[in-house]
């Protein structure tokens, strides 16, 4: 990659080789290496990492064709987003402070000034909140006054969170870091941006699948997901919402990625419920719980949960049961629900610490939650005062691996086939007379 | 023509001259002046042919075929219509010409569901006569399994059409004996009963042919299989599959074509040298 490319070259058109030969004006500053700490240097600068043994640079490859070649020749995956790689390959990576555009620099000044104002506001709001909180213990306070104070505090905290996001939301560096996937989820701005990104498309797809496949009235009455969920079987097989999963893939428990977008660590309960279990005697469908685990710690940075590696003593109520759909049956939905445990109200189940469910006590006093068949998630959520925050879905149908999976899991009925029950036709009504013959 | 002959110098006659000529010649005109508004009114409505006459076509027998509360079985026609006067509700589906059919056995209900669709009318089928539609939107849907469980035969190869080898699933704990008695299940699946596989010798090798039972008990190869014959032929097998993006193959093909064309051109010229004045380019 040549270093003497025009600075503002359109990234979309980099594949036009003729662009390289267009005469342009260079600045003296363009050749300087990035020295200021303001712009974080790329992990591997384009000039240094092109070793002769490796023909394709995973940091700079930015066309689909070259990406394929990189994978084929060096067995490497490209690093970062394609936008980032294209930018690294085609620009000189000058820090923002040294870019020779006057208007850009003026805009940065405006943004910097705006940010200092916002930071001042945040400081002021923090002090006001602490003052109002400190007033709680002073003197006698009526119920109405207490409620009013709490209402005010809620509003102030909300405004404080808004200021925190507004302080950084226009920063070009923040935008760049977020798009490169380098955002720190401990910071409110990156949580806000990733939440926006999730809600813009993926959550809509999820809600469509959940409503179209009737998970919402069949398993729970309603849900407003605020956590995003992702399923992976066998570490690499990522499952889109509502996709069919082959029974051999789903024999081992999946790895979930549960991403909350609000601050702090919390405990969640994860349940996987199948509402399509056939019941021939009743001529209806039953529920079955395929997995149930409580007290799973989740935070914006701690998101990956391997269901196989949870603690059987303190976390798992029901072990993983592989999905199995007998021959002839329609597909079965497996809904994954993330339920937030309430730290305040869970002491009723003899909790050892705030918000933690005591599983051994539950197993002795409430044995029905440890039973798979007829597991009603609605009553489970109501009894334990859980809050549904995340949902995901995958489907299973009969395939060539089902019977062996059932055999290995010790489930009876691998040799059972379901067939449609014949509905007697209505009796043919003979018309009067022979005029219709 | 005469005018331009008289006034020789300007090529185009002046407007004044033209209007003078017009007024002079107006008394000799037979047809009325073109730009005058005429008193004739043209028809805006078709008066002849089939336009207004026949309205006595055969009735299309549209409308309701089942009343509210009537028992129906899957496939029964509940309503025939042009367009969607009624929409299919629970336990119903809409056919190709907007006809509403029953999808489950039960009792017909005509209802409205104002929360999602304030303007629509629905036809639904419920399992119990007393059930009410629409259901509450956060309630679990009423569904029936409508299936029975059977023991699969141990090996599929030994399956025959014999009734004695097939036993409905009495040992299964889930099965309902009453339900089994009440229903008649065909002893063999439809596709097994209606297909046969025979072996014939063709081109010195044995070929398996699947025969399907056509109307009138004639066993013959299905039309779709006949249609596939060209693709299964040896000639078709010898053709290499087209691989998109295989540039090397494309380059070879292109070069072969160019060489072939050059050869053809050379043959047409009959060995003559190119570059003569007469030759086509």
């Amino acid at each position: 990659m040549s270093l003497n490319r025009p600075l503002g070259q359109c990234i979309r058109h980099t594949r036009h080789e003729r662009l390289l030969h267009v005469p342009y004006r260079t600045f003296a500053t363009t050749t300087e290496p990035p020295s200021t700490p303001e712009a974080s240097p790329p992990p591997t600068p384009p000039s240094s990492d092109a070793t002769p043994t490796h023909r394709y640079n995973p940091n700079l490859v930015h066309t689909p064709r070259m990406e394929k070649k990189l994978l084929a020749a060096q067995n490497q995956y490209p690093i970062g987003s394609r936008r980032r790689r294209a930018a690294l390959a085609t620009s000189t990576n000058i820090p923002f402070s040294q870019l020779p555009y006057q208007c850009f620099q003026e805009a940065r000044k405006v943004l910097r000034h705006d940010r200092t104002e916002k930071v001042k506001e945040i400081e002021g709001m923090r002090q006001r909140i602490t003052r109002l909180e400190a007033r709680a213990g002073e003197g006698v306070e009526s119920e109405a006054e207490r409620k009013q104070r709490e209402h005010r505090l809620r509003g102030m905290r909300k405004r404080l969170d808004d200021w925190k996001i507004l302080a950084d939301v226009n920063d070009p560096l923040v935008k760049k870091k977020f798009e490169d996937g380098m955002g720190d989820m401990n910071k409110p701005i990156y949580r806000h941006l990733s939440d926006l990104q999730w809600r813009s498309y993926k959550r809509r797809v999820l809600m469509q699948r959940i409503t179209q496949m009737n998970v919402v009235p069949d398993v729970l009455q309603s849900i407003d997901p605020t956590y995003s969920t992702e399923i992976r079987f066998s570490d690499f097989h990522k499952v889109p919402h509502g996709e069919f999963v082959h029974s051999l893939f789903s024999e081992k428990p999946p790895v979930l990625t549960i991403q909350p977008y609000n601050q702090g660590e919390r405990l969640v309960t994860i349940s996987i419920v199948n509402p399509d279990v056939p019941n021939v005697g009743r001529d209806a469908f039953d529920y079955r719980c395929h997995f149930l685990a409580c007290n799973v710690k989740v935070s914006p940075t701690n998101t990956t949960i391997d269901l196989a590696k949870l603690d059987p003593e303190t976390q798992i109520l029901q072990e993983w049961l592989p999905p199995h759909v007998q021959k002839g049956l329609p597909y079965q939905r497996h809904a994954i629900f993330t339920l937030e445990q309430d730290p305040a109200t869970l002491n009723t189940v003899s909790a050892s610490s705030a918000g933690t469910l005591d599983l051994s006590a539950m197993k002795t006093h409430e044995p029905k939650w440890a039973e798979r068949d007829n597991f009603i998630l609605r009553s489970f959520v109501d009894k334990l005062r859980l809050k549904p925050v995340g949902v995901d879905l995958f489907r299973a149908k009969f395939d060539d691996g089902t019977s062996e999976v059932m055999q290995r899991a010790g489930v009876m009925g691998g040799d059972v086939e379901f067939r449609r029950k014949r509905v007697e036709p209505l009796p043919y009504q003979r018309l009067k007379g022979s005029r219709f013959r | 023509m005469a005018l331009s002959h008289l006034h020789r110098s300007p090529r185009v006659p002046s407007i004044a001259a033209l209007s003078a000529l017009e007024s002079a010649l107006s008394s000799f005109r037979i047809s009325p002046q073109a730009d005058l508004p005429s008193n004739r009114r043209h028809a805006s409505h078709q008066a002849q042919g089939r336009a207004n006459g026949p309205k006595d076509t055969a009735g299309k027998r549209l409308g309701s075929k089942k009343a509210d509360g009537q028992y129906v079985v899957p496939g029964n026609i509940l309503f025939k219509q042009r367009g969607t006067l009624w929409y299919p509700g629970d336990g119903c589906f809409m056919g190709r010409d907007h006809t509403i059919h029953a999808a489950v056995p039960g009792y017909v209900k005509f209802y409205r569901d104002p929360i999602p669709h304030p303007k629509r009318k629905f036809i639904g089928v419920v399992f119990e006569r007393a059930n009410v539609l629409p259901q509450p939107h956060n309630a679990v849907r009423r569904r029936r399994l409508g299936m029975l469980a059977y023991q699969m035969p141990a090996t599929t190869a030994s399956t025959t059409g014999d009734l004695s080898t097939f036993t409905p699933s009495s040992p299964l704990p889930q099965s309902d004996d009453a339900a089994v008695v009440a229903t008649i299940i065909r002893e063999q699946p439809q596709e097994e009963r209606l297909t046969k596989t025979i072996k014939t010798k063709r081109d010195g090798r044995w070929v398996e042919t699947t025969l399907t039972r056509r109307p009138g008990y004639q066993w013959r190869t299905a039309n779709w299989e006949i249609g596939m014959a060209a693709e299964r032929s040896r000639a078709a097998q010898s053709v290499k599959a087209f691989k998109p993006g295989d540039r090397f193959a494309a380059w070879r093909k292109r070069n072969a074509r160019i060489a072939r064309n050059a050869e053809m051109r050379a043959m047409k010229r009959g060995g003559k040298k190119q570059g003569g004045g007469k030759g086509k380019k």
Side-chain angles (χ1 to χ4, degrees):
Chain A
M1 291 296 148
S2 60
L3 272 173
N4 48 0
R5 283 196 178 183
L7 204 61
Q9 184 181 317
C10 181
I11 287 166
R12 281 189 303 167
H13 293 160
T14 44
R15 61 203 164 86
H16 293 307
E17 290 299 311
R18 61 191 158 77
L19 274 182
L20 301 181
H21 311 300
V22 173
Y24 55 88
R25 215 177 108 207
T26 51
F27 296 91
T29 51
T30 50
T31 47
E32 277 185 17
S35 55
T36 49
E38 190 168 2
S40 59
T44 40
S47 54
S48 62
D49 56 358
T51 50
T53 51
H54 289 79
R55 241 179 101 201
Y56 304 104
N57 188 340
N59 274 303
L60 304 181
V61 157
H62 59 279
T63 55
R65 184 189 162 87
M66 287 296 167
E67 284 167 13
K68 261 185 221 161
K69 283 188 172 177
L70 171 78
L71 188 61
Q74 287 156 227
N75 197 21
Q76 272 180 315
Y77 282 95
I79 297 168
S81 68
R82 188 177 291 161
R83 185 202 63 81
R84 174 192 160 82
R85 278 175 270 127
L88 281 180
T90 54
S91 71
T92 40
N93 299 310
I94 305 164
F96 285 159
S97 59
Q98 293 175 11
L99 280 179
Y101 304 124
Q102 192 178 358
C103 182
F104 180 79
Q105 297 299 352
E106 290 301 319
R108 281 183 72 242
K109 261 181 221 165
V110 172
L111 289 180
R112 214 178 301 140
H113 180 68
D114 179 58
R115 189 174 193 280
T116 49
E117 273 182 10
K118 296 274 161 59
V119 168
K120 216 178 286 173
E121 288 279 354
I122 288 169
E123 286 303 314
M125 186 61 84
R126 275 198 180 130
Q127 283 171 8
R128 272 186 285 164
I129 287 174
T130 47
R131 247 180 281 146
L132 198 58
E133 277 172 342
R135 223 190 288 166
E138 297 170 5
V140 187
E141 192 181 35
S142 72
E143 185 66 13
E145 281 173 345
R146 191 184 61 78
K147 273 191 177 165
Q148 193 195 3
R149 185 171 52 80
E150 276 173 7
H151 179 73
R152 268 188 72 196
L153 270 176
R154 260 199 306 276
M156 286 160 85
R157 287 196 191 115
K158 171 84 175 53
R159 240 169 298 152
L160 178 67
D161 289 346
D162 290 350
W163 283 123
K164 279 184 200 166
I165 288 163
L166 288 175
D168 288 330
V169 79
N170 293 321
D171 193 343
L173 259 183
V174 165
K175 193 171 156 55
K176 175 178 175 293
K177 266 192 182 175
F178 176 71
E179 284 181 14
D180 291 347
M182 317 270 277
D184 180 7
M185 288 298 272
N186 280 322
K187 291 179 180 163
I189 179 66
Y190 294 112
R191 286 201 299 268
H192 169 76
L193 289 176
S194 42
D195 189 26
L196 277 189
Q197 197 183 34
W198 175 57
R199 280 174 193 271
S200 68
Y201 185 74
K202 284 184 179 168
R203 188 179 182 277
R204 290 179 192 202
V205 172
L206 172 70
M207 291 315 287
Q208 193 185 37
R209 303 277 154 84
I210 291 299
T211 48
Q212 279 185 342
M213 297 185 199
N214 292 302
V215 169
V216 152
D218 281 356
V219 186
L220 270 190
Q221 56 270 45
S222 63
I223 189 168
D224 176 25
T226 51
Y227 296 9
S228 62
T229 319
E230 227 173 58
I231 325 169
R232 273 167 204 274
F233 283 103
S234 319
D235 284 344
F236 57 89
H237 184 69
K238 193 172 134 190
V239 183
H241 305 304
E243 186 73 342
F244 283 109
V245 179
H246 195 275
S247 60
L248 293 175
F249 266 115
S250 60
E251 195 177 4
K252 296 272 155 52
V255 176
L256 298 186
T257 309
I258 296 176
Q259 176 70 64
Y261 294 104
N262 49 357
Q263 194 183 6
E265 198 171 66
R266 76 240 43 210
L267 294 175
V268 295
T269 294
I270 299 165
S271 70
I272 302 182
V273 179
N274 172 8
D276 298 322
V277 182
N279 186 336
V280 176
R282 226 160 48 85
D283 192 15
F285 293 96
D286 281 348
Y287 293 95
R288 189 199 288 136
C289 185
H290 280 256
F291 183 80
L292 184 60
C294 305
N295 307 329
V296 182
K297 264 186 194 168
V298 165
S299 74
T301 46
N302 176 24
T303 56
T304 312
I305 296 152
D306 192 346
L307 298 192
K309 288 176 184 163
L310 294 180
D311 184 18
E313 292 298 314
T314 58
Q315 288 182 317
I316 292 182
L317 252 179
Q318 295 187 17
E319 291 276 353
W320 174 253
L321 174 71
H324 51 274
V325 183
Q326 283 146 314
K327 191 177 176 186
L329 285 175
Y331 70 73
Q332 296 185 357
R333 301 160 287 169
H334 292 74
I336 302 174
F337 278 91
T338 311
L339 312 158
E340 200 177 279
Q341 296 173 201
D342 190 349
T345 52
L346 273 174
N347 296 322
T348 49
V349 205
S350 71
S352 50
S353 68
T356 315
L357 290 166
D358 191 352
L359 288 203
S360 55
M362 271 174 78
K363 277 172 193 164
T364 52
H365 298 306
E366 292 268 10
K368 73 169 177 177
W369 299 135
E371 275 177 26
R372 290 192 190 281
D373 293 338
N374 291 319
F375 180 87
I376 312 288
L377 191 69
R378 288 171 201 241
S379 49
F380 181 74
V381 166
D382 286 349
K383 275 278 156 56
L384 299 185
R385 297 185 192 176
L386 303 169
K387 186 183 163 201
V389 285
V391 64
D392 204 344
L393 174 74
F394 69 91
R395 288 184 289 174
K397 59 184 174 187
F398 176 81
D399 49 50
D400 43 4
T402 303
S403 52
E404 53 178 303
V405 165
M406 287 176 81
Q407 202 177 7
R408 280 198 288 258
V411 182
M412 294 286 288
D415 54 349
V416 169
E417 181 184 4
F418 282 79
R419 294 208 196 143
R420 291 273 310 259
K421 193 157 73 175
R422 183 181 159 90
V423 179
E424 289 298 329
L426 294 179
Y428 174 65
Q429 286 175 329
R430 191 176 291 272
L431 294 165
K432 278 177 194 166
S434 59
R435 59 201 167 107
F436 297 108
R437 303 283 161 82
Chain B
M1 297 304 114
L3 200 72
S4 63
H5 185 70
L6 287 175
H7 306 274
R8 201 172 289 167
S9 50
R11 270 194 184 169
V12 181
S14 72
I15 292 172
L18 271 180
S19 64
L21 189 69
E22 169 85 17
S23 59
L25 292 176
S26 63
S27 57
F28 299 111
R29 186 179 291 129
I30 299 167
S31 65
Q33 207 170 342
D35 55 344
L36 274 179
S38 72
N39 293 326
R40 183 186 293 168
R41 289 184 63 188
H42 294 285
S44 63
H45 194 88
Q46 171 76 299
Q48 287 185 325
R50 207 184 170 278
N52 300 310
K55 279 177 191 154
D56 51 351
T57 50
K60 295 295 176 222
R61 274 74 168 169
L62 304 176
S64 174
K65 304 298 170 205
K66 298 284 171 188
D68 193 282
Q70 209 171 347
Y71 181 78
V72 291
V73 297
N76 276 14
I77 292 176
L78 309 185
F79 204 97
K80 273 192 168 282
Q81 55 186 345
R82 294 281 170 269
T84 48
L85 259 63
W86 293 84
Y87 283 84
D90 290 7
C92 287
F93 64 91
M94 193 154 67
R96 198 195 56 161
D97 60 348
H98 304 107
T99 300
I100 310 284
H101 298 263
V104 294
Y107 303 91
V108 179
K109 296 276 174 189
F110 294 83
Y111 65 101
R112 280 181 182 272
D113 199 356
I115 294 170
H117 297 292
K119 289 179 184 173
R120 288 189 182 180
K121 297 182 287 182
F122 291 93
I123 304 177
V125 174
V126 291
F127 297 113
E128 305 294 333
R129 202 187 280 275
N131 286 350
V132 177
L133 286 176
Q135 275 193 282
H137 286 280
N138 49 9
V140 181
R141 290 178 307 152
R142 287 188 284 254
R143 291 183 295 156
R144 286 265 170 93
L145 176 62
M147 295 182 121
L148 292 176
Y150 294 96
Q151 192 81 40
M152 271 197 274
T155 49
T156 49
S158 67
T159 311
T160 57
D162 193 4
L163 260 175
S164 60
T165 55
F166 190 83
T167 45
S169 59
S170 44
L172 284 180
Q174 281 185 321
S175 75
D176 188 1
D177 282 348
V180 173
V181 170
T183 60
I184 306 151
I185 297 285
R186 296 188 184 108
E187 67 278 9
Q188 248 185 327
Q190 183 93 341
E191 61 268 21
E192 267 179 49
R193 286 190 304 133
L194 296 182
T195 53
K196 253 190 215 177
T197 308
I198 57 161
K199 278 187 171 180
T200 49
K201 208 166 189 183
R202 201 184 294 159
D203 299 342
R205 54 182 181 152
W206 286 100
V207 182
E208 273 196 359
T209 318
T210 309
L211 302 180
T212 318
R213 210 187 79 185
R214 311 296 301 171
Y217 275 92
Q218 50 167 330
W219 291 89
R220 65 174 183 83
T221 318
N223 286 343
W224 67 269
E225 285 206 330
I226 297 172
M228 297 280 283
E231 284 177 35
R232 291 217 196 94
S233 67
R234 279 186 184 173
Q237 298 290 330
S238 64
V239 174
K240 261 189 195 172
F242 173 69
K243 234 191 266 173
D246 189 356
R247 296 315 302 159
F248 181 47
W251 176 81
R252 270 181 302 165
K253 261 172 105 174
R254 183 167 164 269
N255 278 2
R257 194 189 67 228
I258 289 167
R260 203 168 54 240
N261 285 351
E263 199 180 335
M264 293 293 282
R265 239 180 280 129
M267 276 171 64
K268 270 184 195 166
R269 284 200 303 271
K272 279 182 218 160
K273 268 189 183 176
Q274 205 180 12
K278 289 175 193 172
K280 267 191 210 171
K281 288 206 171 174

